[in-house]
Coordinates of all heavy atoms in Angstrom, one line a residue:
M1 N -20.4 -47.6 3.0 CA -21.0 -48.0 1.7 C -21.8 -49.2 1.9 O -21.6 -50.0 2.7 CB -19.8 -48.3 0.7 CG -20.3 -48.7 -0.7 SD -19.0 -49.2 -1.8 CE -18.5 -47.6 -2.4
S2 N -22.9 -49.3 1.1 CA -23.8 -50.4 1.2 C -23.4 -51.5 0.2 O -22.4 -51.4 -0.5 CB -25.2 -50.0 0.9 OG -25.3 -49.5 -0.4
T3 N -24.0 -52.6 0.4 CA -23.6 -53.8 -0.6 C -24.2 -53.5 -2.0 O -25.1 -52.7 -2.2 CB -24.2 -55.1 -0.1 OG1 -25.7 -54.9 0.0 CG2 -23.7 -55.5 1.3
V4 N -23.6 -54.1 -2.9 CA -24.0 -54.0 -4.3 C -24.4 -55.4 -4.9 O -23.8 -56.3 -4.5 CB -22.7 -53.5 -5.2 CG1 -23.0 -53.4 -6.7 CG2 -22.2 -52.2 -4.6
T5 N -25.5 -55.4 -5.6 CA -25.9 -56.6 -6.3 C -25.1 -56.9 -7.4 O -24.9 -56.1 -8.3 CB -27.4 -56.5 -6.6 OG1 -28.2 -56.1 -5.5 CG2 -27.9 -57.7 -7.4
I6 N -24.4 -58.0 -7.5 CA -23.6 -58.5 -8.5 C -24.3 -59.4 -9.4 O -24.9 -60.4 -9.0 CB -22.3 -59.2 -8.0 CG1 -21.5 -58.2 -7.0 CG2 -21.4 -59.7 -9.1 CD1 -20.9 -57.0 -7.7
T7 N -24.2 -59.2 -10.7 CA -24.9 -60.0 -11.8 C -23.8 -60.3 -12.8 O -22.7 -59.7 -12.8 CB -26.0 -59.3 -12.5 OG1 -25.5 -58.2 -13.2 CG2 -27.1 -58.8 -11.4
K8 N -24.1 -61.3 -13.7 CA -23.1 -61.5 -14.8 C -22.9 -60.3 -15.7 O -21.8 -60.2 -16.2 CB -23.5 -62.8 -15.6 CG -24.7 -62.6 -16.4 CD -25.0 -63.9 -17.2 CE -26.3 -63.7 -18.1 NZ -26.5 -64.9 -18.9
T9 N -23.9 -59.4 -15.7 CA -23.7 -58.2 -16.5 C -22.8 -57.2 -16.0 O -22.0 -56.6 -16.7 CB -25.1 -57.6 -16.7 OG1 -26.1 -58.5 -17.1 CG2 -25.1 -56.4 -17.6
N10 N -22.7 -57.1 -14.7 CA -21.8 -56.1 -14.0 C -20.6 -56.7 -13.4 O -19.8 -56.0 -12.8 CB -22.6 -55.2 -13.1 CG -23.0 -55.9 -11.8 OD1 -22.7 -57.0 -11.5 ND2 -24.0 -55.2 -11.1
F11 N -20.5 -58.0 -13.4 CA -19.3 -58.7 -12.7 C -17.9 -58.1 -13.2 O -17.1 -57.9 -12.4 CB -19.5 -60.2 -13.0 CG -18.3 -60.9 -12.3 CD1 -18.4 -61.3 -10.9 CD2 -17.2 -61.4 -13.0 CE1 -17.4 -61.9 -10.3 CE2 -16.2 -62.1 -12.4 CZ -16.3 -62.4 -11.0
D12 N -17.8 -58.1 -14.4 CA -16.4 -57.7 -15.0 C -16.1 -56.3 -14.5 O -15.0 -56.1 -13.9 CB -16.3 -57.8 -16.5 CG -16.2 -59.1 -17.0 OD1 -16.1 -60.1 -16.2 OD2 -16.1 -59.3 -18.3
E13 N -17.0 -55.4 -14.7 CA -16.8 -54.0 -14.3 C -16.6 -53.9 -12.8 O -15.6 -53.2 -12.4 CB -17.9 -53.1 -14.8 CG -17.8 -51.7 -14.3 CD -19.0 -50.8 -14.6 OE1 -20.0 -51.3 -15.2 OE2 -19.1 -49.8 -14.0
L14 N -17.5 -54.4 -12.0 CA -17.4 -54.2 -10.5 C -16.4 -55.0 -9.8 O -16.0 -54.6 -8.7 CB -18.9 -54.3 -9.9 CG -19.9 -53.3 -10.4 CD1 -21.2 -53.5 -9.8 CD2 -19.4 -51.9 -10.1
V15 N -16.2 -56.3 -10.3 CA -15.4 -57.2 -9.5 C -14.0 -57.3 -10.1 O -13.0 -57.1 -9.5 CB -16.1 -58.6 -9.3 CG1 -15.2 -59.5 -8.6 CG2 -17.5 -58.5 -8.6
L16 N -14.0 -57.8 -11.4 CA -12.7 -58.1 -12.0 C -11.8 -56.8 -12.2 O -10.6 -56.9 -12.1 CB -12.9 -58.7 -13.3 CG -13.4 -60.2 -13.4 CD1 -13.5 -60.7 -14.7 CD2 -12.6 -61.1 -12.4
H17 N -12.5 -55.7 -12.4 CA -11.7 -54.4 -12.6 C -11.8 -53.5 -11.4 O -11.4 -52.3 -11.5 CB -12.2 -53.7 -13.9 CG -12.0 -54.5 -15.1 ND1 -13.1 -55.0 -15.8 CD2 -10.9 -55.0 -15.7 CE1 -12.7 -55.7 -16.8 NE2 -11.3 -55.8 -16.8
S18 N -12.1 -54.0 -10.2 CA -12.2 -53.2 -9.0 C -10.7 -52.8 -8.6 O -9.9 -53.7 -8.5 CB -12.9 -53.9 -7.9 OG -12.9 -53.2 -6.7
S19 N -10.6 -51.6 -8.2 CA -9.3 -51.2 -7.6 C -9.2 -51.6 -6.1 O -8.2 -51.5 -5.5 CB -9.1 -49.7 -7.8 OG -10.2 -49.0 -7.1
K20 N -10.4 -52.0 -5.5 CA -10.5 -52.4 -4.1 C -10.6 -54.0 -4.0 O -11.1 -54.5 -5.0 CB -11.6 -51.8 -3.4 CG -11.7 -50.3 -3.5 CD -12.9 -49.8 -2.8 CE -13.1 -48.4 -2.8 NZ -14.3 -47.9 -2.1
P21 N -10.3 -54.6 -3.0 CA -10.7 -55.9 -2.7 C -12.2 -56.0 -2.7 O -12.9 -55.0 -2.3 CB -10.1 -56.3 -1.3 CG -9.0 -55.3 -1.1 CD -9.5 -54.0 -1.8
V22 N -12.7 -57.1 -3.1 CA -14.2 -57.3 -3.2 C -14.5 -58.6 -2.4 O -14.0 -59.6 -2.6 CB -14.6 -57.5 -4.7 CG1 -16.2 -57.7 -4.7 CG2 -14.2 -56.4 -5.5
L23 N -15.5 -58.4 -1.5 CA -16.1 -59.5 -0.8 C -17.4 -59.9 -1.4 O -18.3 -59.1 -1.5 CB -16.3 -59.1 0.8 CG -17.0 -60.1 1.6 CD1 -16.3 -61.4 1.8 CD2 -17.4 -59.5 3.0
L24 N -17.4 -61.1 -2.0 CA -18.6 -61.6 -2.6 C -19.4 -62.5 -1.7 O -18.8 -63.5 -1.1 CB -18.3 -62.4 -3.9 CG -17.7 -61.6 -5.0 CD1 -17.2 -62.5 -6.1 CD2 -18.6 -60.5 -5.5
D25 N -20.6 -62.3 -1.5 CA -21.5 -63.1 -0.7 C -22.5 -63.8 -1.6 O -23.4 -63.2 -2.1 CB -22.3 -62.2 0.4 CG -23.3 -63.0 1.2 OD1 -23.3 -64.2 1.2 OD2 -24.1 -62.3 1.8
F26 N -22.3 -65.1 -1.8 CA -23.2 -66.0 -2.6 C -24.2 -66.5 -1.7 O -23.9 -67.2 -0.7 CB -22.4 -67.1 -3.2 CG -21.5 -66.7 -4.4 CD1 -20.2 -66.3 -4.1 CD2 -21.9 -66.8 -5.6 CE1 -19.3 -65.9 -5.1 CE2 -21.0 -66.4 -6.7 CZ -19.7 -65.9 -6.4
W27 N -25.5 -66.2 -2.0 CA -26.6 -66.4 -1.0 C -27.9 -66.7 -1.8 O -27.9 -66.6 -3.1 CB -26.9 -65.2 -0.2 CG -27.4 -64.1 -1.0 CD1 -26.7 -63.2 -1.8 CD2 -28.7 -63.6 -1.0 NE1 -27.6 -62.3 -2.4 CE2 -28.8 -62.5 -1.9 CE3 -29.9 -64.0 -0.3 CZ2 -30.0 -61.9 -2.2 CZ3 -31.1 -63.3 -0.6 CH2 -31.2 -62.3 -1.5
A28 N -29.0 -67.1 -1.1 CA -30.3 -67.2 -1.7 C -31.3 -66.8 -0.6 O -31.0 -67.0 0.6 CB -30.5 -68.7 -2.1
P29 N -32.5 -66.3 -1.0 CA -33.4 -65.9 0.0 C -34.0 -67.0 0.9 O -34.4 -66.7 2.1 CB -34.5 -65.3 -0.8 CG -34.2 -65.4 -2.2 CD -32.8 -66.0 -2.3
W30 N -34.0 -68.2 0.5 CA -34.5 -69.3 1.2 C -33.5 -70.0 2.2 O -33.8 -70.8 3.0 CB -35.1 -70.4 0.3 CG -34.1 -70.7 -0.8 CD1 -34.0 -70.2 -2.1 CD2 -32.9 -71.6 -0.7 NE1 -33.0 -70.7 -2.7 CE2 -32.4 -71.6 -1.9 CE3 -32.4 -72.4 0.3 CZ2 -31.2 -72.4 -2.2 CZ3 -31.4 -73.2 0.1 CH2 -30.7 -73.2 -1.2
C31 N -32.3 -69.5 2.2 CA -31.2 -70.1 3.0 C -31.1 -69.5 4.3 O -30.8 -68.3 4.5 CB -30.0 -69.9 2.2 SG -28.4 -70.2 3.1
G32 N -31.4 -70.3 5.4 CA -31.3 -69.8 6.8 C -29.9 -69.3 7.2 O -29.8 -68.2 7.7
P33 N -28.8 -70.0 7.0 CA -27.5 -69.5 7.3 C -27.2 -68.2 6.5 O -26.4 -67.4 7.1 CB -26.6 -70.6 6.9 CG -27.4 -71.9 7.1 CD -28.8 -71.5 6.6
C34 N -27.7 -68.1 5.3 CA -27.4 -66.9 4.5 C -28.1 -65.7 5.3 O -27.5 -64.6 5.3 CB -28.1 -67.0 3.1 SG -27.3 -68.3 2.1
R35 N -29.3 -65.9 5.8 CA -29.9 -64.8 6.5 C -29.2 -64.5 7.8 O -29.3 -63.3 8.3 CB -31.4 -65.2 6.8 CG -32.3 -65.2 5.6 CD -33.7 -65.3 5.9 NE -34.1 -66.4 6.6 CZ -34.6 -67.6 6.1 NH1 -34.6 -67.7 4.7 NH2 -34.9 -68.6 6.8
M36 N -28.4 -65.4 8.4 CA -27.6 -65.1 9.6 C -26.4 -64.3 9.2 O -26.0 -63.4 9.9 CB -27.3 -66.4 10.2 CG -28.5 -67.2 10.8 SD -28.1 -68.8 11.4 CE -26.7 -68.6 12.4
V37 N -25.8 -64.6 8.0 CA -24.6 -63.9 7.6 C -24.8 -62.6 7.0 O -24.0 -61.7 7.2 CB -23.8 -64.8 6.5 CG1 -22.7 -64.0 5.9 CG2 -23.2 -66.1 7.2
S38 N -26.0 -62.4 6.4 CA -26.3 -61.2 5.7 C -26.2 -59.9 6.5 O -25.5 -59.0 6.1 CB -27.7 -61.2 5.1 OG -28.0 -60.1 4.4
P39 N -26.6 -59.8 7.8 CA -26.5 -58.6 8.6 C -24.9 -58.3 8.9 O -24.6 -57.2 8.9 CB -27.2 -58.8 9.9 CG -28.0 -60.0 9.6 CD -27.5 -60.8 8.5
I40 N -24.2 -59.4 9.0 CA -22.7 -59.2 9.2 C -22.1 -58.6 8.0 O -21.3 -57.7 8.1 CB -22.1 -60.6 9.7 CG1 -22.7 -61.1 10.9 CG2 -20.6 -60.4 9.7 CD1 -22.4 -62.5 11.3
V41 N -22.4 -59.1 6.9 CA -21.9 -58.7 5.6 C -22.3 -57.2 5.4 O -21.5 -56.4 5.0 CB -22.4 -59.6 4.4 CG1 -22.0 -59.0 3.1 CG2 -21.7 -60.9 4.6
E42 N -23.6 -56.9 5.7 CA -24.0 -55.5 5.5 C -23.2 -54.6 6.5 O -22.9 -53.4 6.1 CB -25.5 -55.4 5.9 CG -26.4 -56.2 4.9 CD -26.6 -55.4 3.7 OE1 -26.4 -54.3 3.4 OE2 -27.1 -56.2 2.7
E43 N -22.9 -55.0 7.7 CA -22.2 -54.2 8.7 C -20.8 -54.0 8.2 O -20.3 -52.8 8.3 CB -22.2 -54.9 10.0 CG -21.7 -54.2 11.2 CD -21.7 -55.0 12.5 OE1 -22.8 -55.6 12.7 OE2 -20.7 -54.9 13.2
I44 N -20.1 -55.0 7.7 CA -18.8 -54.9 7.1 C -18.8 -53.8 6.0 O -18.0 -53.0 5.9 CB -18.2 -56.2 6.7 CG1 -18.0 -57.1 7.9 CG2 -16.9 -56.0 5.8 CD1 -17.6 -58.5 7.6
A45 N -19.8 -53.9 5.1 CA -20.0 -53.0 4.0 C -20.1 -51.6 4.5 O -19.5 -50.7 3.9 CB -21.1 -53.4 3.1
A46 N -20.8 -51.3 5.6 CA -21.0 -50.0 6.1 C -19.7 -49.5 6.8 O -19.4 -48.3 6.8 CB -22.2 -50.0 7.1
D47 N -19.0 -50.4 7.4 CA -17.8 -50.0 8.2 C -16.6 -49.8 7.3 O -15.7 -49.0 7.7 CB -17.5 -51.1 9.2 CG -18.4 -51.2 10.3 OD1 -19.3 -50.3 10.4 OD2 -18.4 -52.2 11.1
R48 N -16.4 -50.5 6.2 CA -15.2 -50.5 5.4 C -15.3 -49.8 4.1 O -15.9 -50.4 3.2 CB -14.7 -52.0 5.2 CG -14.5 -52.8 6.5 CD -13.1 -52.7 7.0 NE -12.1 -52.9 6.1 CZ -11.4 -54.1 6.0 NH1 -11.7 -55.1 6.8 NH2 -10.4 -54.2 5.1
E49 N -14.7 -48.7 4.0 CA -14.7 -48.0 2.8 C -13.6 -48.4 1.8 O -13.7 -48.1 0.6 CB -14.4 -46.4 3.0 CG -15.5 -45.8 3.9 CD -16.8 -45.5 3.1 OE1 -16.7 -45.3 1.9 OE2 -17.9 -45.7 3.7
D50 N -12.7 -49.3 2.4 CA -11.6 -49.7 1.5 C -11.9 -51.0 0.7 O -11.0 -51.5 0.0 CB -10.4 -49.9 2.4 CG -10.6 -51.1 3.5 OD1 -11.7 -51.1 4.0 OD2 -9.7 -51.8 3.8
I51 N -13.1 -51.5 0.9 CA -13.5 -52.7 0.1 C -14.9 -52.5 -0.5 O -15.6 -51.6 -0.2 CB -13.6 -54.0 1.0 CG1 -14.6 -53.8 2.1 CG2 -12.2 -54.3 1.6 CD1 -14.9 -55.1 2.8
L52 N -15.2 -53.3 -1.5 CA -16.5 -53.4 -2.1 C -17.1 -54.7 -1.7 O -16.5 -55.7 -1.6 CB -16.4 -53.4 -3.7 CG -17.7 -53.6 -4.4 CD1 -18.5 -52.3 -4.3 CD2 -17.4 -53.8 -5.9
V53 N -18.4 -54.6 -1.3 CA -19.1 -55.8 -0.8 C -20.2 -56.1 -1.8 O -21.1 -55.2 -2.0 CB -19.6 -55.7 0.5 CG1 -20.3 -57.0 1.0 CG2 -18.5 -55.4 1.6
G54 N -20.2 -57.2 -2.5 CA -21.2 -57.7 -3.5 C -22.0 -58.8 -3.0 O -21.3 -59.8 -2.5
K55 N -23.2 -58.9 -3.3 CA -24.1 -60.0 -3.1 C -24.5 -60.6 -4.3 O -25.0 -59.9 -5.3 CB -25.3 -59.5 -2.2 CG -24.8 -59.0 -0.9 CD -26.0 -58.7 0.0 CE -26.9 -59.8 0.5 NZ -26.3 -60.6 1.6
V56 N -24.4 -61.9 -4.4 CA -24.7 -62.7 -5.6 C -25.8 -63.7 -5.3 O -25.5 -64.6 -4.5 CB -23.5 -63.5 -6.2 CG1 -23.9 -64.2 -7.4 CG2 -22.3 -62.5 -6.4
N57 N -27.0 -63.5 -5.8 CA -28.1 -64.4 -5.5 C -27.9 -65.6 -6.4 O -28.0 -65.5 -7.7 CB -29.5 -63.7 -5.8 CG -30.7 -64.5 -5.5 OD1 -30.6 -65.7 -5.7 ND2 -31.8 -63.9 -5.2
V58 N -27.6 -66.8 -5.9 CA -27.3 -67.9 -6.7 C -28.5 -68.4 -7.4 O -28.3 -69.1 -8.5 CB -26.7 -69.1 -5.8 CG1 -25.4 -68.7 -5.2 CG2 -27.7 -69.6 -4.7
D59 N -29.8 -68.2 -7.0 CA -30.9 -68.6 -7.8 C -31.0 -67.8 -9.1 O -31.5 -68.3 -10.1 CB -32.2 -68.4 -7.0 CG -32.3 -69.3 -5.9 OD1 -31.7 -70.4 -5.9 OD2 -33.1 -69.1 -4.9
E60 N -30.6 -66.5 -9.1 CA -30.7 -65.6 -10.2 C -29.4 -65.6 -11.1 O -29.4 -65.3 -12.3 CB -31.0 -64.2 -9.8 CG -32.3 -64.1 -9.1 CD -32.6 -62.7 -8.5 OE1 -31.6 -61.9 -8.5 OE2 -33.7 -62.5 -8.0
Q61 N -28.2 -65.9 -10.4 CA -27.0 -65.8 -11.1 C -26.3 -67.2 -11.1 O -25.2 -67.4 -10.6 CB -26.1 -64.8 -10.4 CG -26.6 -63.4 -10.4 CD -27.0 -62.9 -11.8 OE1 -26.2 -63.0 -12.7 NE2 -28.1 -62.2 -11.9
I62 N -26.9 -68.1 -11.7 CA -26.4 -69.5 -11.7 C -25.0 -69.6 -12.4 O -24.1 -70.4 -11.9 CB -27.4 -70.5 -12.4 CG1 -28.7 -70.5 -11.6 CG2 -26.9 -71.9 -12.6 CD1 -29.9 -71.1 -12.4
E63 N -24.8 -68.9 -13.4 CA -23.6 -68.9 -14.1 C -22.4 -68.5 -13.2 O -21.3 -69.1 -13.2 CB -23.6 -68.1 -15.4 CG -24.4 -68.7 -16.5 CD -24.5 -67.8 -17.7 OE1 -23.5 -67.1 -18.0 OE2 -25.5 -67.7 -18.3
L64 N -22.6 -67.4 -12.5 CA -21.5 -67.0 -11.6 C -21.3 -68.0 -10.5 O -20.1 -68.3 -10.1 CB -21.9 -65.6 -11.0 CG -21.8 -64.4 -11.8 CD1 -22.2 -63.1 -11.1 CD2 -20.3 -64.2 -12.3
A65 N -22.4 -68.6 -9.9 CA -22.2 -69.6 -8.9 C -21.4 -70.8 -9.4 O -20.5 -71.3 -8.8 CB -23.6 -70.1 -8.4
M66 N -21.7 -71.2 -10.7 CA -21.0 -72.3 -11.3 C -19.5 -71.9 -11.6 O -18.6 -72.7 -11.4 CB -21.6 -72.8 -12.5 CG -22.9 -73.5 -12.3 SD -23.9 -73.9 -13.7 CE -22.8 -74.2 -15.0
Q67 N -19.3 -70.7 -12.0 CA -17.9 -70.3 -12.3 C -17.0 -70.3 -11.0 O -15.9 -70.6 -11.2 CB -18.0 -68.8 -12.8 CG -16.7 -68.1 -13.1 CD -16.8 -66.7 -13.6 OE1 -17.9 -66.3 -14.1 NE2 -15.8 -65.9 -13.4
F68 N -17.6 -70.0 -9.9 CA -16.8 -70.1 -8.6 C -17.0 -71.4 -7.9 O -16.5 -71.5 -6.7 CB -17.2 -68.9 -7.7 CG -16.6 -67.6 -8.2 CD1 -17.3 -66.8 -9.0 CD2 -15.4 -67.2 -7.9 CE1 -16.8 -65.6 -9.5 CE2 -14.8 -66.1 -8.3 CZ -15.5 -65.3 -9.2
G69 N -17.6 -72.4 -8.5 CA -17.7 -73.7 -7.8 C -18.5 -73.7 -6.5 O -18.2 -74.4 -5.6
V70 N -19.5 -72.7 -6.4 CA -20.4 -72.7 -5.3 C -21.3 -73.9 -5.2 O -22.2 -74.0 -6.1 CB -21.1 -71.3 -5.2 CG1 -22.1 -71.3 -4.1 CG2 -20.1 -70.2 -5.2
A71 N -21.1 -74.7 -4.3 CA -22.0 -75.9 -4.1 C -22.8 -75.8 -2.9 O -23.9 -76.4 -2.8 CB -21.1 -77.2 -4.0
S72 N -22.4 -75.0 -1.9 CA -23.1 -74.7 -0.7 C -23.2 -73.3 -0.4 O -22.2 -72.5 -0.8 CB -22.5 -75.5 0.5 OG -22.4 -76.9 0.4
I73 N -24.3 -72.8 0.2 CA -24.3 -71.4 0.6 C -24.6 -71.2 2.0 O -25.2 -72.2 2.6 CB -25.4 -70.7 -0.3 CG1 -26.7 -71.4 -0.3 CG2 -24.9 -70.5 -1.7 CD1 -27.8 -70.6 -1.0
P74 N -24.3 -70.1 2.7 CA -23.5 -69.1 2.1 C -22.1 -69.4 1.8 O -21.4 -70.2 2.5 CB -23.6 -67.9 3.1 CG -23.7 -68.7 4.4 CD -24.5 -70.0 4.1
T75 N -21.5 -68.8 0.6 CA -20.1 -68.9 0.3 C -19.6 -67.5 0.2 O -20.3 -66.7 -0.5 CB -19.9 -69.7 -1.0 OG1 -20.3 -71.1 -0.8 CG2 -18.5 -69.6 -1.4
L76 N -18.6 -67.2 0.9 CA -17.9 -65.9 0.9 C -16.6 -66.0 0.1 O -15.8 -66.9 0.4 CB -17.7 -65.4 2.2 CG -19.0 -65.2 3.1 CD1 -18.6 -64.9 4.5 CD2 -19.8 -64.1 2.5
I77 N -16.4 -65.2 -0.9 CA -15.2 -65.2 -1.6 C -14.6 -63.8 -1.6 O -15.3 -62.9 -2.0 CB -15.4 -65.8 -3.1 CG1 -15.9 -67.2 -3.0 CG2 -14.1 -65.6 -3.9 CD1 -16.2 -67.8 -4.4
V78 N -13.3 -63.7 -1.4 CA -12.5 -62.4 -1.4 C -11.9 -62.4 -2.8 O -11.1 -63.3 -3.1 CB -11.6 -62.2 -0.2 CG1 -10.8 -60.9 -0.4 CG2 -12.4 -62.2 1.0
M79 N -12.1 -61.4 -3.6 CA -11.4 -61.2 -4.8 C -10.4 -60.0 -4.7 O -10.8 -58.9 -4.2 CB -12.4 -60.8 -5.9 CG -13.5 -61.8 -6.2 SD -12.9 -63.3 -7.1 CE -12.5 -62.6 -8.7
K80 N -9.2 -60.2 -5.1 CA -8.1 -59.2 -5.2 C -7.5 -59.3 -6.5 O -7.1 -60.3 -7.0 CB -7.1 -59.4 -4.1 CG -7.7 -59.2 -2.7 CD -6.7 -59.4 -1.6 CE -7.3 -59.2 -0.2 NZ -6.3 -59.5 0.9
D81 N -7.4 -58.1 -7.2 CA -6.8 -57.9 -8.4 C -7.4 -59.0 -9.5 O -6.7 -59.6 -10.3 CB -5.3 -58.2 -8.4 CG -4.6 -57.1 -7.5 OD1 -5.0 -56.0 -7.7 OD2 -3.7 -57.5 -6.7
G82 N -8.7 -59.1 -9.4 CA -9.4 -60.1 -10.3 C -9.3 -61.5 -10.0 O -9.8 -62.4 -10.8
K83 N -8.7 -61.9 -8.9 CA -8.5 -63.4 -8.6 C -9.0 -63.7 -7.2 O -9.0 -62.8 -6.3 CB -7.0 -63.7 -8.6 CG -6.4 -63.6 -10.1 CD -5.0 -64.0 -10.0 CE -4.4 -64.1 -11.4 NZ -4.1 -62.8 -12.0
A84 N -9.6 -64.8 -7.0 CA -10.0 -65.3 -5.7 C -8.9 -65.5 -4.8 O -7.9 -66.2 -5.1 CB -10.9 -66.5 -5.8
S85 N -8.8 -64.7 -3.6 CA -7.7 -64.9 -2.7 C -8.1 -65.7 -1.4 O -7.3 -66.1 -0.7 CB -7.2 -63.5 -2.3 OG -8.1 -62.8 -1.6
A86 N -9.4 -65.8 -1.2 CA -9.9 -66.5 0.1 C -11.3 -66.9 -0.2 O -12.1 -66.2 -0.9 CB -9.7 -65.6 1.3
K87 N -11.6 -68.0 0.5 CA -13.0 -68.6 0.4 C -13.4 -69.2 1.7 O -12.7 -69.8 2.4 CB -13.1 -69.6 -0.7 CG -14.4 -70.2 -1.0 CD -14.3 -71.1 -2.2 CE -15.6 -71.7 -2.6 NZ -15.5 -72.6 -3.8
A88 N -14.7 -69.0 2.1 CA -15.3 -69.6 3.2 C -16.7 -70.1 2.9 O -17.4 -69.3 2.3 CB -15.3 -68.7 4.4
V89 N -17.1 -71.3 3.4 CA -18.4 -71.8 3.1 C -19.1 -72.0 4.5 O -18.5 -72.5 5.5 CB -18.3 -73.2 2.4 CG1 -19.7 -73.7 2.2 CG2 -17.6 -73.0 1.1
G90 N -20.4 -71.6 4.5 CA -21.2 -71.7 5.7 C -21.1 -70.4 6.6 O -20.5 -69.5 6.3
Y91 N -21.9 -70.5 7.7 CA -21.9 -69.3 8.6 C -20.6 -69.0 9.2 O -19.8 -70.0 9.5 CB -22.9 -69.6 9.7 CG -22.9 -68.4 10.8 CD1 -23.5 -67.3 10.5 CD2 -22.1 -68.6 11.8 CE1 -23.5 -66.3 11.4 CE2 -22.0 -67.6 12.8 CZ -22.7 -66.4 12.6 OH -22.6 -65.4 13.5
R92 N -20.2 -67.8 9.2 CA -19.0 -67.3 9.8 C -19.2 -66.1 10.7 O -19.9 -65.2 10.3 CB -17.9 -67.0 8.8 CG -17.4 -68.1 8.0 CD -16.5 -69.0 8.8 NE -15.8 -70.1 8.0 CZ -16.3 -71.2 7.7 NH1 -17.5 -71.5 8.0 NH2 -15.6 -72.1 7.1
P93 N -18.6 -66.0 11.9 CA -18.8 -64.8 12.7 C -18.0 -63.7 12.0 O -17.1 -63.9 11.1 CB -18.2 -65.1 14.0 CG -17.3 -66.3 13.8 CD -17.8 -67.0 12.6
K94 N -18.3 -62.5 12.4 CA -17.7 -61.2 11.8 C -16.1 -61.3 11.9 O -15.4 -61.0 10.9 CB -18.2 -60.0 12.5 CG -17.6 -58.7 11.9 CD -18.2 -57.5 12.5 CE -17.7 -56.2 11.9 NZ -18.3 -55.0 12.5
S95 N -15.6 -61.8 13.0 CA -14.1 -61.8 13.1 C -13.5 -62.7 12.1 O -12.5 -62.4 11.5 CB -13.7 -62.3 14.5 OG -14.3 -63.6 14.7
D96 N -14.1 -63.9 11.7 CA -13.6 -64.8 10.7 C -13.7 -64.2 9.3 O -12.8 -64.3 8.4 CB -14.4 -66.1 10.7 CG -14.0 -67.0 11.9 OD1 -13.3 -66.6 12.7 OD2 -14.5 -68.1 11.9
I97 N -14.8 -63.4 9.0 CA -15.0 -62.8 7.7 C -13.9 -61.7 7.6 O -13.3 -61.5 6.5 CB -16.4 -62.2 7.6 CG1 -17.3 -63.4 7.6 CG2 -16.5 -61.4 6.3 CD1 -18.8 -63.0 7.6
L98 N -13.6 -61.0 8.7 CA -12.6 -59.9 8.6 C -11.2 -60.5 8.3 O -10.4 -59.9 7.6 CB -12.6 -59.0 9.8 CG -13.8 -58.2 10.0 CD1 -13.8 -57.5 11.4 CD2 -14.0 -57.1 8.9
K99 N -10.9 -61.7 8.9 CA -9.7 -62.4 8.7 C -9.5 -62.8 7.2 O -8.5 -62.8 6.6 CB -9.6 -63.6 9.6 CG -9.3 -63.4 11.0 CD -9.2 -64.7 11.8 CE -9.3 -64.4 13.3 NZ -9.4 -65.6 14.1
L100 N -10.6 -63.2 6.6 CA -10.7 -63.5 5.1 C -10.1 -62.4 4.3 O -9.4 -62.5 3.4 CB -12.0 -63.9 4.7 CG -12.6 -65.3 4.9 CD1 -14.0 -65.4 4.4 CD2 -11.7 -66.4 4.3
L101 N -10.6 -61.2 4.7 CA -10.3 -60.0 4.0 C -8.8 -59.6 4.1 O -8.1 -59.0 3.3 CB -11.1 -58.8 4.4 CG -12.5 -58.8 4.1 CD1 -13.4 -57.9 4.8 CD2 -12.7 -58.6 2.5
A102 N -8.2 -60.1 5.2 CA -6.8 -59.8 5.5 C -5.8 -60.8 4.8 O -4.6 -60.5 4.7 CB -6.5 -59.8 7.0
E103 N -6.3 -61.8 4.3 CA -5.5 -62.9 3.7 C -5.0 -62.4 2.4 O -5.5 -61.6 1.6 CB -6.3 -64.2 3.5 CG -6.6 -64.9 4.8 CD -7.2 -66.2 4.6 OE1 -7.4 -66.7 3.5 OE2 -7.8 -66.7 5.6

């Protein structure tokens, strides 16, 4: 499955009410580390049918970024049953991101 663009409009439906864990990637187009993490996140989305992977552009979704206390990007947050279960800030290798999903 590919990544899904998450906005404040679809957040409740796609994230809070998801039957699967959700990996949220808070990013911006001008962010160098975000561009390094993005292909890893895309690869995880393609490999894992058991999760939903959403991308949140912090420039366009300021309210969501504020709701999750995103001060630095990239920020990765794993949501399970509508609650944040894990969080990582900055570039992470694929193995670290997969560990977040296991928490």
Side-chain angles (χ1 to χ4, degrees):
M1 179 185 273
S2 60
T3 60
V4 177
T5 299
I6 301 296
T7 66
K8 68 179 184 178
T9 307
N10 66 13
F11 179 80
D12 284 0
E13 176 190 348
L14 295 179
V15 178
L16 292 185
H17 299 115
S18 177
S19 59
K20 302 176 181 182
V22 180
L23 173 63
L24 293 175
D25 176 14
F26 289 84
W27 69 285
W30 48 264
C31 166
C34 298
R35 289 195 298 268
M36 293 168 54
V37 167
S38 187
I40 298 168
V41 170
E42 296 282 347
E43 187 178 319
I44 291 170
D47 291 349
R48 300 277 304 263
E49 295 290 327
D50 61 321
I51 63 169
L52 176 71
V53 179
K55 295 185 68 78
V56 182
N57 183 328
V58 297
D59 288 340
E60 297 172 355
Q61 302 301 320
I62 296 166
E63 288 178 37
L64 285 177
M66 287 175 31
Q67 179 180 333
F68 285 94
V70 174
S72 298
I73 52 174
T75 293
L76 300 171
I77 297 176
V78 177
M79 300 286 293
K80 293 181 181 174
D81 300 318
K83 296 182 175 73
S85 66
K87 181 176 181 177
V89 178
Y91 172 81
R92 294 288 189 272
K94 185 176 181 181
S95 59
D96 285 5
I97 297 171
L98 292 173
K99 284 179 193 169
L100 281 178
L101 289 164
E103 290 181 12

